[in-house]
């Protein structure tokens, strides 16, 4: 089984986010970077499948030099190879262009499964896995909560539907699958894994040297801002019955908790 | 002797001192380097992150469950840590460990303290340190094969029983006896061991008894040894989640093959592993000092009184700065020590038969440093939990708040692994021994510095750093002057004169902090924000410690003058005038506070 996991480096969820003066990006100084949460689960799912089925796990990340750290973490946890698509300006790429860059390197590698996290914690497109499936012409499932290999050509996945419902489906391989956080327990890097990390291949490819066409972005960030928190007090007037009715109406239709 | 003698200058070869204990004392700030966290390899950094993550996710959330006795939780954590290599980094590779260096073991101690659970740390440190190390160091092949893999994986838990009702600090005063049975198959042990950590959970115990009343000997006990009776749990002030019991040996049958090392070699087993316990406790308490600081800072930011966060009050800020400084000092000496021990072992192969013999020699050679780690770490954490608790106000006194528990848990650190008094005695005794045996160029330093307390040279291109270097070199000279005068006055009896030995030890501690703190700065990348942010911390630490040195040295010299009517203290006064101290404590502390607010980093990563 050849598995690829797409991993993104994002600001740690504990970071205090400040918006830059140009209002198009965030201040990176003082921010700790980490592996995108759902990508950690995707990696764990890949490692579990490898342990069960044999094979090889490759991790891939598109980003500046710092993103090698998330690749090294993945190698320390048990991935076999890493590919770094080195691009300091990757933030200017929209998700379709980013996918095209990745596909360019992945298309000849014949992966059986491409795992990615459901969405990134920074931009939150939640589209990468789907676009990869389209560009590479593979099957696809999103929001996956469980996987099971049925045979060399088929994977069974459990997907989360609305309202607490789940659905099992069988997909032909190869497949691009996006993973929902919480389906497994991501492992910690072991001391031995960290010591082994240096001996595993980490290939760095400069995106600028790939001479790609058709990767100019079609969508742009216009403005970033932190949502205003507002407080509003509404007095419901009338008799006790009218107050109760008014309250129920607000809780049901406006606040939507009933 | 009215005027100090002027002695000839002597050459010292500093490169020979790499990896030697006490190196910090005789090497001026521009000679030789000193290990610090800034020299972490990529693997070191990743491992620290991994251990911290483990502590944050696996220990912190169950913190309160670990504050009451819960054997299963502790064992489950052990098993998980065994898988990850956190439990067994120090164990030999051949027996399920990783044969890692000492810096890694400090990284583990520091990282695990992110879980803020002192009870668990005591359980862990006892198991990996004094509980298992004697077998690693002194065990026969058969003993290692039988015990180490299970201890390394976390399947078994270890304990170490040395203390007896009549033998605490005076560890060899015990009365437990071991008599060989008639068949010659077993030693029969009778006696009582108290305060045994991990006592009621442990599967093994390294203990000590007198064979034939005169040969102090170490034994390994396991659950097959009949007559090993475990007493009730002690009711303690703190570390309530750590097991502490009395062991009664009632005709306890220990097979002869369980003698650890040779019959009669027990004191080496007991004392040598304690050195390791000390620098590890240094790492743990350094982590604790940082933990208290983080809690206090967060609270001071959230808590408002008089309409502003209490962090904005000067008196709270002063505490914050002191919290940072103490943790910083402990950090500098602990990694300096671990790095120097590792330097002493660089060319050694862990698979070499003689490896552990040499490890012991190198660690014993660092007897001054290991005691310094223990004292500086435990003093830092106890002052930090106290200041942090004060910042919490009334909430700090309520056990729902982790700082209250940390405050109580911390108290033991100044007592076990050798009380801080005993550790000061070790520092004083070791420096005298190293002087007599000429293990360090102490005579050379005494004579070189008799002439000139601040050798006239450029220590650093930066003007301020050059000035600070001069303060350190002055302090070094003051130390050698005071040591020499004390030896001249007391001769052999100095080792029994605790009124003098304690301030001598304290001077050495101050010097170790000044020296390693200053040398750490050299390891940091030029023009980095860390380097400039750390400047006021170094400035403050060096001036604080200079003050301590002047105080301790002045007290000793004044006392000697009183005893024989000489005027040694005058020399100090004369030399001190050559120092032109340029320092404002309040401005420096305010500067540090400003940076803490800006970076929230405390210069500690
Ligand atoms: C919670 C806990 C866990 C422990 N775990 C273990 C364990 O696992 N295994 C084990 O073997 N022991 C253990 N101990 C014992 C511990 O190491 C001893 O308590 C410690 O060494 C001090 O001995 P003591 O209590 O007899 O005090 P004492 O030796 O009676 O000391 C009393 C006071 O006198 C001072 N003093 C003693 N001698 C001198 C001297 N020569 N000069 C100056 N001052 C001196 C001491 O510093 C101290 O202040 C534990 C103790 C506790 C409380």
């Amino acid at each position: 089984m050849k598995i690829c996991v797409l991993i993104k480096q994002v600001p740690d969820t504990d970071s205090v986010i400040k918006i830059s003066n140009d209002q198009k990006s965030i201040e990176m100084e003082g921010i700790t970077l980490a592996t995108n949460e759902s990508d950690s689960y995707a990696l764990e799912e890949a490692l579990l499948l490898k342990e069960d089925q044999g094979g090889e796990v490759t991790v891939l990340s598109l980003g500046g030099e710092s993103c090698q750290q998330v690749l090294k973490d993945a190698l320390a946890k048990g991935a076999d190879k890493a590919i770094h698509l080195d691009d300091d300006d990757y933030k200017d790429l929209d998700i379709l262009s980013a996918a095209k860059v990745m596909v360019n390197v992945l298309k000849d590698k014949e992966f059986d499964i491409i795992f990615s996290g459901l969405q990134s914690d920074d931009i939150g497109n939640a589209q990468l896995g789907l676009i990869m499936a389209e560009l590479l012409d593979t099957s696809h499932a999103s929001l996956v909560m469980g996987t099971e290999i049925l045979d060399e050509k088929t994977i069974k996945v459990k997907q989360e539907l609305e309202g607490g419902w789940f659905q099992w489906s069988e997909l032909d391989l190869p497949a691009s699958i996006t993973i929902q956080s919480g389906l497994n327990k991501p492992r910690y890097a072991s001391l031995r894994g960290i010591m082994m990390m240096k001996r595993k291949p980490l290939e760095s490819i400069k995106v600028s040297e790939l001479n790609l066409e058709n990767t100019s972005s079609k969508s742009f960030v216009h403005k970033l801002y932190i949502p205003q928190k507002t407080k509003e007090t509404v007095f419901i007037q009338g008799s006790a019955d009218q107050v109760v009715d008014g309250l129920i109406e607000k809780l049901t239709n406006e606040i939507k908790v009933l | 002797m009215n005027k100090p003698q002027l002695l000839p200058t002597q050459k010292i070869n500093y490169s020979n001192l790499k990896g030697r204990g006490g190196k910090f004392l005789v090497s001026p700030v521009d000679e030789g380097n000193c290990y610090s966290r800034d020299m972490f390899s990529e693997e070191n950094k990743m491992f620290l992150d991994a251990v911290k993550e483990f502590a944050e996710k696996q220990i912190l959330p169950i913190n309160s469950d670990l504050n009451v006795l819960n054997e299963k939780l502790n064992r489950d954590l052990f098993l998980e840590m065994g898988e990850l290599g956190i439990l067994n980094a120090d164990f030999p590779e051949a027996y399920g460990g990783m044969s890692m260096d000492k810096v890694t073991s400090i990284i583990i101690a520091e990282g695990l303290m992110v879980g803020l659970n002192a009870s668990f740390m005591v359980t862990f440190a006892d198991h990996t340190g004094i509980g298992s190390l004697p077998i690693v160091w002194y065990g026969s092949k058969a003993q290692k094969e039988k015990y180490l893999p299970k201890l390394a994986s976390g399947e078994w838990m270890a304990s170490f029983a040395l203390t007896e009702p009549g033998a605490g600090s005076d560890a060899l005063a015990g009365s437990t006896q071991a008599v060989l049975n008639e068949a010659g198959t077993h030693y029969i042990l009778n006696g009582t061991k108290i305060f045994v950590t991990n006592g009621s959970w442990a599967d093994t115990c390294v203990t000590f008894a007198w064979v034939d009343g005169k040969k102090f000997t170490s034994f390994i006990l396991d659950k097959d040894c009949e007559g090993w009776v475990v007493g009730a749990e002690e009711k303690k002030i703190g570390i309530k989640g750590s097991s502490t019991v009395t062991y009664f040996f009632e005709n306890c049958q220990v097979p002869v093959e369980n003698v650890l090392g040779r019959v009669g070699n027990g004191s080496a087993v007991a004392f040598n592993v304690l050195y390791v316990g000390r620098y590890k406790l240094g790492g743990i308490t350094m982590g604790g000092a940082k933990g208290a600081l983080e809690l206090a800072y967060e609270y001071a930011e959230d808590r408002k009184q008089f309409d502003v966060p209490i962090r904005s009050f000067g008196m709270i800020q002063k505490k914050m700065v002191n919290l940072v400084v103490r943790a910083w000092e402990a950090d500098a000496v602990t990694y300096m020590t671990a790095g120097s021990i590792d330097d002493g072992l660089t060319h050694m192969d862990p698979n070499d038969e003689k490896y552990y013999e040499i490890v012991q020699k190198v660690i014993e050679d660092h007897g001054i440093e290991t005691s310094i780690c223990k004292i500086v770490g435990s003093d830092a954490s106890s002052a930090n939990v106290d200041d942090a608790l004060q910042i919490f106000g009334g909430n700090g006194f309520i056990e729902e708040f982790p700082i209250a528990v940390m405050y109580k848990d911390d108290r033991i650190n100044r007592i076990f692994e050798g009380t801080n008094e005993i550790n000061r005695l070790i520092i004083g005794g070791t420096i005298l021994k190293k002087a007599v045996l000429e293990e360090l160029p102490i005579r050379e330093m005494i004579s070189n510095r008799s002439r000139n307390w601040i050798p006239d040279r450029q220590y650093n291109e930066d003007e301020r750093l050059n000035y600070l270097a001069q303060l350190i070199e002055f302090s070094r000279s003051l130390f050698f002057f005071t040591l020499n005068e004390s030896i001249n006055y007391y001769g052999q009896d100095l080792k029994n004169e605790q009124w003098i030995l304690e301030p001598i030890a304290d001077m050495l501690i101050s010097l170790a902090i000044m020296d390693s703190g200053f040398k750490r700065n050299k390891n940091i990348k030029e023009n980095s924000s860390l380097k400039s942010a750390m400047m006021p911390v170094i400035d403050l630490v060096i001036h604080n410690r200079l003050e301590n040195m002047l105080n301790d040295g002045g007290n000793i010299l004044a006392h000697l003058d009183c005893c024989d009517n000489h005027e040694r203290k005058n020399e100090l006064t004369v030399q001190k005038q050559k120092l032109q101290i340029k320092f404002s404590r309040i401005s420096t502390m305010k500067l540090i506070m400003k940076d803490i607010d800006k970076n929230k980093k405390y210069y500690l990563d």
Side-chain angles (χ1 to χ4, degrees), chain B residues 126 160-163 168-169 195-197 236 239 244 412 415-416 419 421-422 425 498:
Chain B
D126 188 65
F160 176 88
L162 174 64
T163 305
S169 300
F195 303 148
V196 186
T197 299
K236 304 189 291 285
I239 54 165
T244 316
I412 188 62
I415 296 170
F416 61 15
T419 63
E421 289 77 19
I422 292 297
L425 267 188
Q498 294 192 5

Side-chain angles (χ1 to χ4, degrees), chain B residues 130-191:
Chain B
I130 53 181
S132 300
L133 261 193
I135 305 176
V136 174
W137 283 6
Y138 297 93
S140 64
K141 191 155 182 291
Q143 288 169 342
K144 288 182 183 175
E145 275 166 5
K146 181 167 179 192
Y147 296 107
L148 292 184
K150 289 197 168 108
L151 293 170
S153 68
E155 192 183 330
W156 277 1
M157 195 181 277
S159 66
F160 176 88
L162 174 64
T163 305
E164 296 190 15
S169 300
D170 186 5
L172 298 183
S175 58
T176 299
Q177 301 294 327
V179 179
L180 191 61
N181 67 0
E182 269 182 17
T185 55
H186 288 77
Y187 280 97
I188 312 301
L189 268 57
N190 277 291

Side-chain angles (χ1 to χ4, degrees), chain B residues 350-559:
Chain B
N351 298 317
D352 191 318
E353 234 176 75
K354 292 240 169 320
Y355 178 72
Y356 287 104
E357 229 171 87
I358 294 168
V359 170
Q360 283 168 50
K361 288 218 175 78
V362 172
I363 291 180
E364 191 187 348
D365 185 43
H366 285 80
I368 295 179
E369 282 91 341
T370 54
S371 285
I372 288 179
C373 289
K374 200 271 174 172
I375 295 170
V376 174
S378 59
D379 280 351
S381 76
S382 79
N384 273 18
V385 291
D386 192 74
D387 268 351
L389 189 148
Q390 191 67 12
I391 290 176
F392 272 75
N395 280 339
F397 204 65
I398 306 299
E399 294 203 353
E400 251 170 73
F401 288 81
I403 192 62
V405 180
M406 282 174 77
Y407 178 83
K408 296 204 291 183
D409 286 350
D410 181 77
R411 192 59 186 85
I412 188 62
N413 291 323
R414 284 185 282 152
I415 296 170
F416 61 15
E417 301 284 359
T419 63
N420 284 15
E421 289 77 19
I422 292 297
N423 274 289
R424 284 186 165 86
L425 267 188
I426 293 172
I427 295 176
T430 310
I431 192 65
L432 294 180
K433 186 182 121 221
K434 281 185 185 286
V436 172
L437 298 182
E438 302 191 0
E439 287 177 15
L440 281 175
I442 290 174
R443 301 212 163 277
E444 289 84 340
M445 284 302 282
I446 289 174
S447 76
N448 292 354
R449 293 298 172 98
S450 65
R451 202 169 290 276
N452 197 347
W453 282 34
I454 315 171
D456 186 20
R457 63 180 197 245
Q458 177 92 8
Y459 289 98
N460 201 292
E461 282 166 18
D462 179 274
E463 198 187 327
R464 189 69 187 170
L465 284 169
N466 193 51
Y467 156 77
L468 293 174
Q470 288 179 350
L471 300 189
I472 299 174
E473 293 317 318
F474 170 88
S475 306
R476 203 184 302 281
S477 304
L478 169 60
F479 173 78
F480 284 112
F481 179 71
T482 312
L483 179 71
N484 190 38
E485 293 300 325
S486 308
I487 293 175
N488 286 344
Y489 182 79
Y490 285 104
Q492 288 284 323
D493 286 342
L494 179 56
K495 65 175 187 299
N496 303 317
E497 193 54 44
Q498 294 192 5
W499 285 97
I500 305 298
L501 274 191
E502 183 181 38
I504 283 187
D506 284 333
M507 289 176 86
L508 258 170
I509 293 170
S510 290
L511 202 52
I513 290 169
M514 293 166 110
D515 189 79
S516 55
F518 187 92
K519 287 174 180 163
R520 176 181 174 190
N521 185 262
K522 289 205 284 189
N523 299 337
I524 302 173
K525 263 211 314 267
E526 283 306 325
N527 303 324
S528 63
S529 60
L530 178 66
K531 192 152 190 151
S532 51
M534 210 188 276
M535 256 323 280
V537 180
I538 294 178
D539 219 310
L540 178 63
V541 165
I542 289 175
H543 284 93
N544 284 349
R545 291 294 168 174
L546 172 69
E547 215 162 81
N548 293 354
M549 293 281 299
L550 288 169
N551 218 352
D552 289 325
N555 285 338
I556 295 174
L557 296 174
H559 174 68

Side-chain angles (χ1 to χ4, degrees), chain A residues 69 72-73 76 185 188-192 194-195 197-198, chain B residues 42-43 46-47 54 57-58 80 84-85 89 97-98 100:
Chain A
Q69 193 54 53
K72 287 176 181 170
D73 286 341
K185 186 171 172 269
Y188 301 97
S190 70
L191 182 50
R192 194 173 299 280
I194 291 169
M195 304 304 291
M197 177 267 301
K198 274 255 161 76
Chain B
E42 180 167 35
E43 284 91 348
M46 282 177 74
F47 197 51
F54 177 83
K57 294 194 179 150
Q58 304 296 112
E80 260 186 279
L84 294 173
M98 296 288 301
M100 292 303 288

